[in-house]
Amino acid sequence: MNLEIIRTVDGIRKRVAEQKKRGKTVALVPTMGGLHEGHLSLITKAKEVADFVVVSIFINPKQFNNPDDLKTYPSDEDADLESIAAEGADTAFIPSVDEMYPQEFATDVKVTAGVNILCDAHRPGHFGGVATVVTKLFLQVGADFACFGEKDFQQLFIISRLVEDLNIPIKIIPTATVREKDGLAMSSRNARLSEDDRRLAPKLQEAMQEVKSNTRNGMTINTACEAAWKSLEAEGNFKVEYFEVRCGKTMVLMEKLSDDCRLFAAAWLGGVRLIDNIKI
Ligand code: PAF
């Protein structure tokens, strides 16, 4: 395998500095492992925009508000490294929890835009943990670009805000959601769906497409979202958290259809939380 593995902050800093000295641009693809085609599309994008690609793998304990979710988060370093190498990235940065958060660690990064809504309303503390680890990764790696999937649109919004607010010299590159053939948005957690639930899972995307066509045919956003919520829960195993249409630029709730409208949905299926969003 022709992939370099670096586990320390000093090591990654040195490697990136060397590349930059040679006039190379660097892109970072932050991940928590459990890699699927969605991650691989981020690596492909990173290779398009930069000369040297670093993929980080770090299961960030600070962003798990549910200890069981952390315990069962898929983790297979060897398989991930093979995928990263096959996709042609240059370096895997895999810091330990102690390297990231030494005992005396006492700093939280808190973004106050795009919060208290959608996932943040249901996973208190989650985005604080994301903001903290992503800020650290940006400062540790010193990449010119970082690639994030639109599947986690609220995360993308919050990270873009923090980069601007803290003047971090990195360009955020959003990448389209990658879907299974049946429309289910790819996610590391999909691996935890039972066979029956996996068959049901695409119903979330189907309900979202219904909202899109109903609102385009004149139904109000509220009525369309309520109908989708009910029809999904009528399938049996789903427990919906939200169906909301918001402006993709400001995250403000939208009552009327316009160019910037995005539909956001989250639902539990068995013990797995699915999230998705589409432009409508
Ligand atoms: O999207 C993820 O996988 C994580 O939230 C991220 C950005 C790698 C931070 O831990």
Side-chain angles (χ1 to χ4, degrees):
M1 191 171 35
N2 200 12
L3 176 75
E4 178 187 40
I5 300 166
I6 295 179
R7 297 186 189 269
T8 63
V9 175
D10 263 8
I12 194 66
R13 282 225 170 101
K14 278 188 191 130
R15 172 60 75 245
V16 169
E18 257 168 46
Q19 293 300 320
K20 290 200 166 174
K21 217 167 156 193
R22 293 171 53 208
K24 306 286 183 198
T25 54
V26 177
L28 169 67
V29 178
T31 82
M32 297 202 297
L35 299 194
H36 50 68
E37 280 175 46
H39 295 111
L40 304 187
S41 79
L42 298 179
I43 300 177
T44 306
K45 187 75 189 174
K47 283 174 61 189
E48 274 166 35
V49 298
D51 305 308
F52 189 82
V53 173
V54 178
V55 180
S56 63
I57 301 179
F58 179 64
I59 302 184
N60 175 31
K62 281 191 182 289
Q63 70 185 75
F64 285 81
N65 54 325
N66 171 351
D68 286 340
D69 190 26
L70 174 59
K71 252 188 256 152
T72 56
Y73 198 84
S75 158
D76 183 344
E77 189 176 298
D78 290 344
D80 286 342
L81 289 174
E82 270 186 34
S83 307
I84 294 170
E87 209 55 35
D90 300 285
T91 295
F93 174 45
I94 315 183
S96 65
V97 174
D98 286 347
E99 182 74 2
M100 274 302 211
Y101 301 121
Q103 254 197 344
E104 61 279 15
F105 187 86
T107 300
D108 282 333
V109 179
K110 182 175 167 200
V111 179
T112 55
V115 292
N116 302 325
I117 56 168
L118 304 174
C119 289
D120 192 55
H122 294 271
R123 298 185 68 190
H126 166 68
F127 286 115
V130 171
T132 302
V133 81
V134 163
T135 304
K136 282 179 70 76
L137 286 166
F138 289 170
L139 297 174
Q140 290 166 344
V141 177
D144 305 287
F145 305 94
C147 299
F148 291 91
E150 284 185 343
K151 152 109 187 329
D152 297 301
F153 197 90
Q154 190 176 9
Q155 168 172 284
L156 184 58
F157 180 88
I158 288 171
I159 290 169
S160 304
R161 184 74 263 144
L162 91 77
V163 162
E164 239 179 279
D165 289 354
L166 300 182
N167 308 104
I168 302 179
I170 194 165
K171 187 169 169 21
I172 302 299
I173 312 282
T175 304
T177 302
V178 179
R179 299 183 179 282
E180 303 284 358
K181 282 200 185 77
D182 57 16
L184 176 66
M186 288 197 183
S187 161
S188 307
R189 290 184 179 86
N190 291 350
R192 300 198 318 224
L193 287 166
S194 70
E195 243 177 72
D196 284 348
D197 286 343
R198 175 62 192 84
R199 266 193 295 276
L200 275 180
K203 300 272 179 205
L204 175 63
Q205 178 55 205
E206 284 169 29
M208 294 175 77
Q209 292 298 337
E210 282 282 295
V211 173
K212 181 172 177 167
S213 63
N214 283 339
T215 49
R216 288 194 172 187
N217 289 330
M219 195 182 272
T220 66
I221 286 177
N222 272 351
T223 310
C225 286
E226 268 174 38
W229 184 311
K230 276 192 195 137
S231 78
L232 199 59
E233 290 202 339
E235 294 291 340
N237 253 2
F238 282 100
K239 182 85 193 81
V240 174
E241 271 186 358
Y242 58 77
F243 261 90
E244 284 181 13
V245 175
R246 291 185 174 266
C247 170
K249 290 196 176 129
T250 61
M251 297 304 267
V252 163
L253 211 48
M254 302 293 273
E255 283 179 6
K256 291 212 166 95
L257 216 49
S258 77
D259 281 354
D260 294 326
C261 278
R262 259 194 125 82
L263 169 64
F264 295 87
W268 285 92
L269 181 55
V272 180
R273 188 170 178 274
L274 304 177
I275 61 166
D276 203 346
N277 70 90
I278 53 170
K279 211 167 172 336
I280 63 167

PDB file of all heavy atoms in Angstrom, residues 30-33 39 56 58-60 63 73 126 129-130 133-134 137 148 152 155 159, ligand 1:
ATOM      1  N   PRO A  30     -11.652  15.585   6.168  1.00  0.00           N
ATOM      2  CA  PRO A  30     -11.821  15.114   7.548  1.00  0.00           C
ATOM      3  C   PRO A  30     -12.876  14.013   7.601  1.00  0.00           C
ATOM      4  O   PRO A  30     -13.963  14.174   7.042  1.00  0.00           O
ATOM      5  CB  PRO A  30     -12.328  16.347   8.301  1.00  0.00           C
ATOM      6  CG  PRO A  30     -12.232  17.490   7.350  1.00  0.00           C
ATOM      7  CD  PRO A  30     -12.253  16.914   5.978  1.00  0.00           C
ATOM      8  N   THR A  31     -12.574  12.894   8.260  1.00  0.00           N
ATOM      9  CA  THR A  31     -13.556  11.804   8.399  1.00  0.00           C
ATOM     10  C   THR A  31     -13.455  11.205   9.811  1.00  0.00           C
ATOM     11  O   THR A  31     -12.483  11.447  10.526  1.00  0.00           O
ATOM     12  CB  THR A  31     -13.315  10.637   7.398  1.00  0.00           C
ATOM     13  OG1 THR A  31     -12.294   9.774   7.916  1.00  0.00           O
ATOM     14  CG2 THR A  31     -12.905  11.125   6.018  1.00  0.00           C
ATOM     15  N   MET A  32     -14.458  10.408  10.108  1.00  0.00           N
ATOM     16  CA  MET A  32     -14.380   9.615  11.352  1.00  0.00           C
ATOM     17  C   MET A  32     -14.230   8.141  10.987  1.00  0.00           C
ATOM     18  O   MET A  32     -14.583   7.256  11.785  1.00  0.00           O
ATOM     19  CB  MET A  32     -15.635   9.839  12.195  1.00  0.00           C
ATOM     20  CG  MET A  32     -15.774  11.293  12.659  1.00  0.00           C
ATOM     21  SD  MET A  32     -16.818  11.477  14.115  1.00  0.00           S
ATOM     22  CE  MET A  32     -18.372  10.893  13.485  1.00  0.00           C
ATOM     23  N   GLY A  33     -13.742   7.867   9.787  1.00  0.00           N
ATOM     24  CA  GLY A  33     -13.604   6.477   9.338  1.00  0.00           C
ATOM     25  C   GLY A  33     -14.947   5.916   8.906  1.00  0.00           C
ATOM     26  O   GLY A  33     -15.882   6.678   8.620  1.00  0.00           O
ATOM     27  N   HIS A  39     -17.491   9.325   1.144  1.00  0.00           N
ATOM     28  CA  HIS A  39     -16.151   9.812   1.533  1.00  0.00           C
ATOM     29  C   HIS A  39     -15.211   9.771   0.327  1.00  0.00           C
ATOM     30  O   HIS A  39     -14.386  10.665   0.139  1.00  0.00           O
ATOM     31  CB  HIS A  39     -15.557   8.939   2.644  1.00  0.00           C
ATOM     32  CG  HIS A  39     -16.301   8.994   3.935  1.00  0.00           C
ATOM     33  ND1 HIS A  39     -17.010   7.938   4.420  1.00  0.00           N
ATOM     34  CD2 HIS A  39     -16.422   9.991   4.851  1.00  0.00           C
ATOM     35  CE1 HIS A  39     -17.551   8.265   5.593  1.00  0.00           C
ATOM     36  NE2 HIS A  39     -17.211   9.501   5.869  1.00  0.00           N
ATOM     37  N   SER A  56      -8.064  12.651   7.134  1.00  0.00           N
ATOM     38  CA  SER A  56      -7.935  12.386   8.574  1.00  0.00           C
ATOM     39  C   SER A  56      -9.007  11.395   9.002  1.00  0.00           C
ATOM     40  O   SER A  56     -10.123  11.390   8.470  1.00  0.00           O
ATOM     41  CB  SER A  56      -8.035  13.679   9.388  1.00  0.00           C
ATOM     42  OG  SER A  56      -9.304  14.262   9.230  1.00  0.00           O
ATOM     43  N   PHE A  58     -10.586  10.330  12.618  1.00  0.00           N
ATOM     44  CA  PHE A  58     -10.601  10.527  14.070  1.00  0.00           C
ATOM     45  C   PHE A  58     -12.049  10.461  14.546  1.00  0.00           C
ATOM     46  O   PHE A  58     -12.871  11.302  14.160  1.00  0.00           O
ATOM     47  CB  PHE A  58      -9.976  11.883  14.444  1.00  0.00           C
ATOM     48  CG  PHE A  58      -9.986  12.138  15.930  1.00  0.00           C
ATOM     49  CD1 PHE A  58      -9.257  11.333  16.795  1.00  0.00           C
ATOM     50  CD2 PHE A  58     -10.746  13.176  16.469  1.00  0.00           C
ATOM     51  CE1 PHE A  58      -9.283  11.547  18.177  1.00  0.00           C
ATOM     52  CE2 PHE A  58     -10.775  13.404  17.845  1.00  0.00           C
ATOM     53  CZ  PHE A  58     -10.031  12.576  18.698  1.00  0.00           C
ATOM     54  N   ILE A  59     -12.358   9.441  15.319  1.00  0.00           N
ATOM     55  CA  ILE A  59     -13.715   9.348  15.888  1.00  0.00           C
ATOM     56  C   ILE A  59     -13.724  10.286  17.090  1.00  0.00           C
ATOM     57  O   ILE A  59     -13.143   9.980  18.128  1.00  0.00           O
ATOM     58  CB  ILE A  59     -14.071   7.897  16.281  1.00  0.00           C
ATOM     59  CG1 ILE A  59     -13.948   6.987  15.040  1.00  0.00           C
ATOM     60  CG2 ILE A  59     -15.494   7.836  16.852  1.00  0.00           C
ATOM     61  CD1 ILE A  59     -14.367   5.540  15.262  1.00  0.00           C
ATOM     62  N   ASN A  60     -14.356  11.425  16.879  1.00  0.00           N
ATOM     63  CA  ASN A  60     -14.268  12.530  17.835  1.00  0.00           C
ATOM     64  C   ASN A  60     -15.246  12.360  18.992  1.00  0.00           C
ATOM     65  O   ASN A  60     -16.444  12.604  18.828  1.00  0.00           O
ATOM     66  CB  ASN A  60     -14.569  13.828  17.067  1.00  0.00           C
ATOM     67  CG  ASN A  60     -14.639  15.036  17.974  1.00  0.00           C
ATOM     68  OD1 ASN A  60     -13.956  15.093  18.988  1.00  0.00           O
ATOM     69  ND2 ASN A  60     -15.470  16.010  17.585  1.00  0.00           N
ATOM     70  N   GLN A  63     -18.170  14.947  19.895  1.00  0.00           N
ATOM     71  CA  GLN A  63     -19.369  15.254  19.123  1.00  0.00           C
ATOM     72  C   GLN A  63     -20.464  14.191  19.266  1.00  0.00           C
ATOM     73  O   GLN A  63     -21.474  14.259  18.580  1.00  0.00           O
ATOM     74  CB  GLN A  63     -19.026  15.489  17.654  1.00  0.00           C
ATOM     75  CG  GLN A  63     -18.593  14.268  16.863  1.00  0.00           C
ATOM     76  CD  GLN A  63     -18.151  14.639  15.456  1.00  0.00           C
ATOM     77  OE1 GLN A  63     -17.074  15.167  15.250  1.00  0.00           O
ATOM     78  NE2 GLN A  63     -19.010  14.389  14.479  1.00  0.00           N
ATOM     79  N   TYR A  73     -20.055   3.095  16.814  1.00  0.00           N
ATOM     80  CA  TYR A  73     -19.706   3.760  15.548  1.00  0.00           C
ATOM     81  C   TYR A  73     -18.754   2.849  14.761  1.00  0.00           C
ATOM     82  O   TYR A  73     -17.771   2.352  15.318  1.00  0.00           O
ATOM     83  CB  TYR A  73     -19.055   5.131  15.814  1.00  0.00           C
ATOM     84  CG  TYR A  73     -19.102   5.987  14.570  1.00  0.00           C
ATOM     85  CD1 TYR A  73     -20.238   6.725  14.260  1.00  0.00           C
ATOM     86  CD2 TYR A  73     -18.038   6.005  13.673  1.00  0.00           C
ATOM     87  CE1 TYR A  73     -20.312   7.474  13.098  1.00  0.00           C
ATOM     88  CE2 TYR A  73     -18.106   6.755  12.509  1.00  0.00           C
ATOM     89  CZ  TYR A  73     -19.245   7.483  12.233  1.00  0.00           C
ATOM     90  OH  TYR A  73     -19.318   8.217  11.069  1.00  0.00           O
ATOM     91  N   HIS A 126     -23.552  18.471  20.027  1.00  0.00           N
ATOM     92  CA  HIS A 126     -22.917  17.811  18.882  1.00  0.00           C
ATOM     93  C   HIS A 126     -22.079  18.793  18.047  1.00  0.00           C
ATOM     94  O   HIS A 126     -20.893  18.556  17.790  1.00  0.00           O
ATOM     95  CB  HIS A 126     -23.989  17.145  18.014  1.00  0.00           C
ATOM     96  CG  HIS A 126     -23.524  16.731  16.658  1.00  0.00           C
ATOM     97  ND1 HIS A 126     -22.606  15.713  16.473  1.00  0.00           N
ATOM     98  CD2 HIS A 126     -23.809  17.211  15.424  1.00  0.00           C
ATOM     99  CE1 HIS A 126     -22.365  15.575  15.180  1.00  0.00           C
ATOM    100  NE2 HIS A 126     -23.077  16.475  14.525  1.00  0.00           N
ATOM    101  N   GLY A 129     -18.850  20.039  19.508  1.00  0.00           N
ATOM    102  CA  GLY A 129     -17.771  19.048  19.365  1.00  0.00           C
ATOM    103  C   GLY A 129     -17.206  19.043  17.955  1.00  0.00           C
ATOM    104  O   GLY A 129     -15.984  18.931  17.766  1.00  0.00           O
ATOM    105  N   VAL A 130     -18.096  19.180  16.973  1.00  0.00           N
ATOM    106  CA  VAL A 130     -17.636  19.214  15.574  1.00  0.00           C
ATOM    107  C   VAL A 130     -16.780  20.473  15.353  1.00  0.00           C
ATOM    108  O   VAL A 130     -15.684  20.403  14.787  1.00  0.00           O
ATOM    109  CB  VAL A 130     -18.833  19.212  14.583  1.00  0.00           C
ATOM    110  CG1 VAL A 130     -18.358  19.473  13.159  1.00  0.00           C
ATOM    111  CG2 VAL A 130     -19.599  17.890  14.659  1.00  0.00           C
ATOM    112  N   VAL A 133     -13.277  20.090  16.984  1.00  0.00           N
ATOM    113  CA  VAL A 133     -12.330  19.177  16.339  1.00  0.00           C
ATOM    114  C   VAL A 133     -11.927  19.676  14.949  1.00  0.00           C
ATOM    115  O   VAL A 133     -10.776  19.550  14.535  1.00  0.00           O
ATOM    116  CB  VAL A 133     -12.885  17.726  16.284  1.00  0.00           C
ATOM    117  CG1 VAL A 133     -13.842  17.513  15.137  1.00  0.00           C
ATOM    118  CG2 VAL A 133     -11.741  16.731  16.183  1.00  0.00           C
ATOM    119  N   VAL A 134     -12.890  20.275  14.233  1.00  0.00           N
ATOM    120  CA  VAL A 134     -12.586  20.733  12.880  1.00  0.00           C
ATOM    121  C   VAL A 134     -11.605  21.921  12.948  1.00  0.00           C
ATOM    122  O   VAL A 134     -10.666  22.011  12.149  1.00  0.00           O
ATOM    123  CB  VAL A 134     -13.906  21.086  12.146  1.00  0.00           C
ATOM    124  CG1 VAL A 134     -13.646  21.940  10.930  1.00  0.00           C
ATOM    125  CG2 VAL A 134     -14.635  19.810  11.731  1.00  0.00           C
ATOM    126  N   LEU A 137      -8.270  20.398  13.541  1.00  0.00           N
ATOM    127  CA  LEU A 137      -7.732  19.751  12.334  1.00  0.00           C
ATOM    128  C   LEU A 137      -7.228  20.800  11.333  1.00  0.00           C
ATOM    129  O   LEU A 137      -6.171  20.640  10.723  1.00  0.00           O
ATOM    130  CB  LEU A 137      -8.807  18.865  11.680  1.00  0.00           C
ATOM    131  CG  LEU A 137      -9.114  17.554  12.406  1.00  0.00           C
ATOM    132  CD1 LEU A 137     -10.403  16.929  11.883  1.00  0.00           C
ATOM    133  CD2 LEU A 137      -7.954  16.562  12.253  1.00  0.00           C
ATOM    134  N   PHE A 148     -16.153  18.812   2.371  1.00  0.00           N
ATOM    135  CA  PHE A 148     -17.240  18.315   3.233  1.00  0.00           C
ATOM    136  C   PHE A 148     -18.452  17.992   2.378  1.00  0.00           C
ATOM    137  O   PHE A 148     -18.738  18.691   1.405  1.00  0.00           O
ATOM    138  CB  PHE A 148     -17.646  19.383   4.263  1.00  0.00           C
ATOM    139  CG  PHE A 148     -16.605  19.636   5.308  1.00  0.00           C
ATOM    140  CD1 PHE A 148     -15.646  20.622   5.117  1.00  0.00           C
ATOM    141  CD2 PHE A 148     -16.572  18.892   6.478  1.00  0.00           C
ATOM    142  CE1 PHE A 148     -14.672  20.868   6.073  1.00  0.00           C
ATOM    143  CE2 PHE A 148     -15.603  19.125   7.443  1.00  0.00           C
ATOM    144  CZ  PHE A 148     -14.656  20.105   7.248  1.00  0.00           C
ATOM    145  N   ASP A 152     -24.394  16.446   5.262  1.00  0.00           N
ATOM    146  CA  ASP A 152     -24.436  17.100   6.580  1.00  0.00           C
ATOM    147  C   ASP A 152     -24.440  18.610   6.346  1.00  0.00           C
ATOM    148  O   ASP A 152     -23.454  19.306   6.626  1.00  0.00           O
ATOM    149  CB  ASP A 152     -23.229  16.671   7.418  1.00  0.00           C
ATOM    150  CG  ASP A 152     -23.252  15.186   7.704  1.00  0.00           C
ATOM    151  OD1 ASP A 152     -24.217  14.714   8.311  1.00  0.00           O
ATOM    152  OD2 ASP A 152     -22.319  14.473   7.277  1.00  0.00           O
ATOM    153  N   GLN A 155     -23.887  20.994   9.255  1.00  0.00           N
ATOM    154  CA  GLN A 155     -22.463  20.958   9.633  1.00  0.00           C
ATOM    155  C   GLN A 155     -21.652  21.849   8.688  1.00  0.00           C
ATOM    156  O   GLN A 155     -20.806  22.635   9.129  1.00  0.00           O
ATOM    157  CB  GLN A 155     -21.965  19.518   9.582  1.00  0.00           C
ATOM    158  CG  GLN A 155     -20.457  19.362   9.657  1.00  0.00           C
ATOM    159  CD  GLN A 155     -20.022  17.916   9.791  1.00  0.00           C
ATOM    160  OE1 GLN A 155     -20.123  17.339  10.857  1.00  0.00           O
ATOM    161  NE2 GLN A 155     -19.528  17.322   8.710  1.00  0.00           N
ATOM    162  N   ILE A 159     -19.505  25.070   9.796  1.00  0.00           N
ATOM    163  CA  ILE A 159     -18.054  25.092   9.565  1.00  0.00           C
ATOM    164  C   ILE A 159     -17.681  26.281   8.665  1.00  0.00           C
ATOM    165  O   ILE A 159     -16.670  26.956   8.895  1.00  0.00           O
ATOM    166  CB  ILE A 159     -17.586  23.748   8.963  1.00  0.00           C
ATOM    167  CG1 ILE A 159     -17.700  22.645  10.019  1.00  0.00           C
ATOM    168  CG2 ILE A 159     -16.151  23.841   8.440  1.00  0.00           C
ATOM    169  CD1 ILE A 159     -17.511  21.241   9.489  1.00  0.00           C
TER     170      ILE A 159
HETATM  171  O1  PAF B   1     -18.727  14.590   9.151  1.00  0.00           O
HETATM  172  C1  PAF B   1     -17.953  13.957   9.902  1.00  0.00           C
HETATM  173  O2  PAF B   1     -17.565  12.815   9.620  1.00  0.00           O
HETATM  174  C2  PAF B   1     -17.455  14.594  11.182  1.00  0.00           C
HETATM  175  O3  PAF B   1     -18.437  15.386  11.769  1.00  0.00           O
HETATM  176  C3  PAF B   1     -16.145  15.405  10.993  1.00  0.00           C
HETATM  177  C4  PAF B   1     -16.359  16.583  10.074  1.00  0.00           C
HETATM  178  C5  PAF B   1     -15.056  14.499  10.446  1.00  0.00           C
HETATM  179  C6  PAF B   1     -15.670  15.946  12.341  1.00  0.00           C
HETATM  180  O4  PAF B   1     -15.428  14.937  13.254  1.00  0.00           O
END
